[in-house]
Amino acid sequence: RAYLKVDEILRETFLGCQEDYEVRWVCGRIVGESVNLQSTGRVSGSVNEDFDRLREDAGLTVDQPAFVLFCRDDNVKGARSWMLVAWVPDTAAPRLKMLYSSSREDLKTALGVGYFGGYKDYCANSESEMTWENLNHFEKCDEDAKPLTEAEILLQEEKKLEKDTSIKSCGMANIPFHIGEALDTALSE
């Protein structure tokens, strides 16, 4: 784990999106030692059309990874379901690839794990993988890979219905505060 903090602007924007049903996605990038807000996108078509345009609309490039929080709800009022899309292109620097791969859970925890309960993370490494067709293929292969008992199927369906979307579900990875001169001096001694 990279233990990167989530920028307050990204956290506030994401929480605001829970009531703004016109936001389809939120894009964030690692800058220094935190995940910062890069951009947001509005609903402009169906879920699959918006996903197919995501790479272009979010400004995803072949050398810079990004996290995209993508809302798959279409015309749903109430709790929203989000999916984490990790855009980690093969041509990105190895250090960046490792940072993005090891920070996914920290990001979801900081924003509230309950928002991401309905979908698995989707990792895309090339332009061809950033399509709705590939995403559906990934999900179908994942479902087909594991035979489930009837009890396991019921548990999965319950998890999809459960959502803790209260602000209290947002974890706090750290408490930001300024170290004053007196404390700094005391710690140095």
Side-chain angles (χ1 to χ4, degrees):
R1 293 176 60 174
Y3 297 103
L4 298 175
K5 68 178 186 170
V6 174
D7 181 62
E8 195 60 35
I9 296 171
L10 173 57
R11 185 187 331 265
E12 289 174 10
T13 300
F14 180 73
L15 290 175
C17 292
Q18 305 321 309
E19 296 177 10
D20 183 353
Y21 298 101
E22 292 301 311
V23 174
R24 175 70 77 196
W25 54 264
V26 177
C27 181
R29 289 209 163 100
I30 296 174
V31 178
E33 294 188 15
S34 67
V35 182
N36 295 348
L37 177 67
Q38 185 72 31
S39 57
T40 61
R42 311 295 283 168
V43 172
S44 61
S46 66
V47 175
N48 58 325
E49 292 169 341
D50 287 348
F51 191 85
D52 283 339
R53 284 193 305 271
L54 183 60
R55 203 175 104 352
E56 181 181 325
D57 292 351
L60 304 178
T61 62
V62 295
D63 59 342
Q64 178 63 49
F67 290 125
V68 180
L69 312 169
F70 188 81
C71 182
R72 294 182 57 169
D73 297 335
D74 230 352
N75 301 320
V76 174
K77 301 298 180 205
R80 302 184 80 194
S81 296
W82 296 82
M83 173 180 69
L84 175 64
V85 177
W87 167 249
V88 186
D90 289 328
T91 55
R95 180 180 181 278
L96 287 175
K97 288 197 246 185
M98 290 175 64
L99 270 175
Y100 279 83
S101 296
S102 63
S103 302
R104 293 189 334 236
E105 290 305 315
D106 292 336
L107 175 62
K108 292 192 304 187
T109 300
L111 295 174
V113 177
Y115 295 114
F116 301 94
Y119 301 102
K120 286 190 168 251
D121 297 353
Y122 181 64
C123 299
N125 303 100
S126 66
E127 294 177 24
S128 64
E129 292 177 353
M130 284 296 292
T131 64
W132 185 253
E133 182 180 345
N134 272 344
L135 173 63
N136 284 327
H137 178 72
F138 162 77
E139 289 175 338
K140 182 168 177 16
C141 288
D142 192 49
E143 288 174 16
D144 292 345
K146 54 184 178 194
L148 300 175
T149 66
E150 195 169 317
E152 290 171 326
I153 292 170
L154 288 173
L155 282 173
Q156 263 190 349
E157 289 175 3
E158 281 180 28
K159 282 183 184 177
K160 287 180 182 177
L161 296 174
E162 284 179 10
K163 282 193 183 174
D164 177 13
T165 57
S166 68
I167 294 204
K168 292 179 182 176
S169 72
C170 294
M172 187 175 238
N174 56 33
I175 301 173
F177 65 92
H178 180 69
I179 296 178
E181 248 183 79
L183 178 59
D184 193 33
T185 303
L187 290 173
S188 298
E189 295 174 356

